[in-house]
Amino acid sequence: MEEKRTILVIGGRSGIGKALVEKLLAEGHEVIAASRNIEQADLPSGVKKMTYDAVNDEKLPEVPEKLDGLAYCPGSINLQPFKRFSLETLRAEMELNYLGAVKVLHQVIGKLKASKRGSAVFFSTVAVQTGLPFHSSVSAGKGAVEGLVRSLAAEYAPSVRFNAVAPALVDTPM
């Protein structure tokens, strides 16, 4: 087994984030799961729960000085035709997906660098590269995340690794 790592999962209450929390914990890592409704999460014992809303301008509470991994999992599924979505819809997508990721990174980038093996993973969607109808607003937010990840991978190599994964349909409550 590899060495125990400390990993922060933003959006770890349900869906892909919850599955990731459970897998990391089963592998023996220290896992911090953060979500705005984390107290409602049915997570295994041993997971440190942290209330955090990526949309607000709040600080992450109680993050260790050294962080080996970050997974940014928040997402939405606000599908509608382009002509019907409002600028408020687009702003909400950008706030959750892109600006939320930036806010978290500003708070933890030094902690990831302190690890000497820090890694950050962000979730996008296959709709960014494929182009799917009714995905204009979510694709904009997740496309911004992909651009951010590519830039940060170049800027922080080799001290912190950055990756984005773009799942298609996944069997989750969302």
Side-chain angles (χ1 to χ4, degrees):
M1 183 175 134
E2 70 176 54
E3 189 177 326
K4 182 177 182 176
R5 293 176 179 230
T6 302
I7 301 163
L8 172 62
V9 180
I10 306 291
R13 182 180 69 87
S14 66
I16 293 172
K18 179 181 178 186
L20 181 59
V21 165
E22 291 169 345
K23 180 169 177 44
L24 291 168
L25 188 67
E27 291 176 356
H29 300 293
E30 179 183 346
V31 182
I32 305 164
S35 174
R36 63 180 161 218
N37 298 314
I38 198 69
E39 60 280 344
Q40 299 170 7
D42 180 24
L43 295 171
S45 64
V47 174
K48 181 178 178 184
K49 295 179 181 179
M50 176 188 302
T51 300
Y52 179 74
D53 187 347
V55 173
N56 294 329
D57 291 333
E58 61 191 54
K59 296 283 185 204
L60 283 163
E62 302 175 39
V63 178
E65 287 304 309
K66 185 182 73 145
L67 199 57
D68 301 303
L70 166 68
Y72 189 82
C73 306
S76 63
I77 190 76
N78 189 3
L79 305 181
Q80 55 186 298
F82 175 77
K83 66 183 178 181
R84 286 210 328 242
F85 84 71
S86 65
L87 285 178
E88 289 76 28
T89 299
L90 181 59
R91 282 186 187 104
E93 291 288 352
M94 295 301 283
E95 187 68 43
L96 176 65
N97 293 297
Y98 176 68
L99 294 174
V102 169
K103 291 174 198 177
V104 169
L105 276 170
H106 275 164
Q107 296 178 68
V108 302
I109 192 65
K111 298 169 187 300
L112 289 166
K113 285 179 71 174
S115 166
K116 306 283 189 232
R117 60 181 181 177
S119 179
V121 176
F122 297 83
F123 283 80
S124 181
T125 171
V126 68
V128 172
Q129 300 298 320
T130 306
L132 296 172
F134 311 116
H135 283 70
S136 300
S137 63
V138 70
S139 289
K142 294 296 190 177
V145 167
E146 288 188 23
L148 175 69
V149 166
R150 285 185 185 98
S151 294
L152 293 176
E155 184 174 339
Y156 284 94
S159 62
V160 180
R161 291 177 295 130
F162 285 86
N163 287 285
V165 294
L169 290 177
V170 179
D171 187 11
T172 68
M174 189 187 307

